[in-house]
Amino acid sequence: MHRTRHDDEAGDFVKATIASKFLRTWAYNGFYELAKQHRQYHEYAMEQLDHGEAEKSAAIKDRIRNIRKAMKEISQRRLKTKSRGLTCYTN
């Protein structure tokens, strides 16, 4: 397979993104936002947070901990709403 200049630029972008603590931190936040808006992604988001536990950065671990807490609160609100017999879900 022949690599182009664009392939090299894309590879450099991905490497820079992975190396950036800031971007990785907000990527985990993106999984939270996805799960918050679309219930079917809750389990997937939790899996991604599980993978994030291997992060060495304290800032990322702290963000993951806060996201888990927020996701737990959302789940509890959804259960309360469901137990009242309502069909709408709260965020």
Side-chain angles (χ1 to χ4, degrees):
M1 181 175 167
H2 178 67
R3 291 181 56 90
T4 67
R5 180 177 60 89
H6 296 293
D7 292 333
D8 292 336
E9 289 172 358
D12 291 343
F13 174 77
V14 170
K15 287 176 189 173
T17 301
I18 291 170
S20 170
K21 265 193 295 190
F22 176 79
L23 292 177
R24 287 195 324 273
T25 301
W26 287 104
Y28 291 112
N29 193 73
F31 289 122
Y32 162 69
E33 291 295 332
L34 181 66
K36 187 168 76 169
Q37 298 297 320
H38 304 281
R39 293 182 55 170
Q40 67 269 27
Y41 292 108
H42 181 87
E43 186 175 326
Y44 178 75
M46 293 302 287
E47 289 172 7
Q48 298 310 308
L49 295 175
D50 290 343
H51 291 298
E53 295 296 329
E55 288 280 354
K56 294 179 183 176
S57 166
I60 294 175
K61 287 181 179 183
D62 186 51
R63 184 69 192 139
I64 289 172
R65 183 176 44 79
N66 291 335
I67 290 169
R68 285 186 187 281
K69 181 180 175 185
M71 288 181 74
K72 183 178 179 182
E73 291 171 0
I74 289 169
S75 292
Q76 289 172 345
R77 283 194 303 251
R78 287 177 176 164
L79 286 174
K80 285 180 186 177
T81 302
K82 188 175 182 180
S83 69
R84 291 183 194 147
L86 302 174
T87 56
C88 64
Y89 296 99
T90 59
N91 288 331

